[in-house]
């Protein structure tokens, strides 16, 4: 599920391409990249977007099933040293006082 960055990959933000030692997930998840960590060592993925990609690939999956797929087939299969960071973005409107 991970591959070393190659400068010819498309859909990867320039800031990630500037750090060729960073590993990324396969191409279908490139649009889910939302940044890199402060040490420029790991890519940060928007987990909500990743779940959308998983559900688009298998229309029979619920969001819960897609999360289970992510957990067992992506997150738990990677060595921690090169594993990306996965975030659930917070919508400020959902947390307004």
């Amino acid at each position: 599920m991970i591959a070393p960055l190659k400068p010819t990959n498309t859909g990867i933000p320039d800031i990630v391409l500037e750090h060729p030692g960073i590993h990324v997930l396969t191409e279908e998840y490139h649009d889910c990249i939302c940044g890199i960590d402060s040490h420029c060592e790991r890519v940060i993925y928007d987990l909500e977007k990743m779940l959308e990609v998983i559900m688009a690939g298998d229309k029979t999956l619920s969001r819960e099933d897609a999360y289970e797929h992510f957990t067992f087939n992506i997150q738990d299969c990677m060595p921690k040293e090169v594993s990306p960071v996965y975030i659930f973005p917070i919508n400020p409107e959902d947390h307004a006082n």
Side-chain angles (χ1 to χ4, degrees):
M1 283 310 271
I2 59 173
L5 275 180
K6 296 178 184 170
T8 57
N9 287 351
T10 59
I12 299 175
D14 289 342
I15 192 163
V16 177
L17 291 174
E18 292 170 7
H19 298 89
I22 294 177
H23 288 72
V24 296
L25 296 176
T26 52
E27 189 172 342
E28 66 263 35
Y29 298 108
H30 288 180
D31 289 337
C32 304
I33 295 172
C34 60
I36 59 173
D37 73 345
S38 62
H39 299 288
C40 299
E41 296 174 348
R42 301 187 325 168
V43 175
I44 301 171
Y45 286 89
D46 179 329
L47 188 48
E48 289 294 343
K49 287 183 180 180
M50 290 183 69
L51 295 178
E52 291 173 13
V53 169
I54 293 166
M55 289 186 294
D58 184 345
K59 305 244 187 265
T60 65
L61 294 178
S62 67
R63 186 178 182 287
E64 293 78 20
D65 292 337
Y67 184 76
E68 184 175 327
H69 171 88
F70 161 78
T71 301
F72 292 109
N73 296 297
I74 299 173
Q75 179 178 320
D76 292 347
C77 290
M78 299 181 143
K80 299 294 182 203
E81 312 78 59
V82 296
S83 180
V85 175
Y86 305 102
I87 63 164
F88 283 109
I90 297 173
N91 182 351
E93 295 173 9
D94 294 341
H95 300 282
N97 292 329

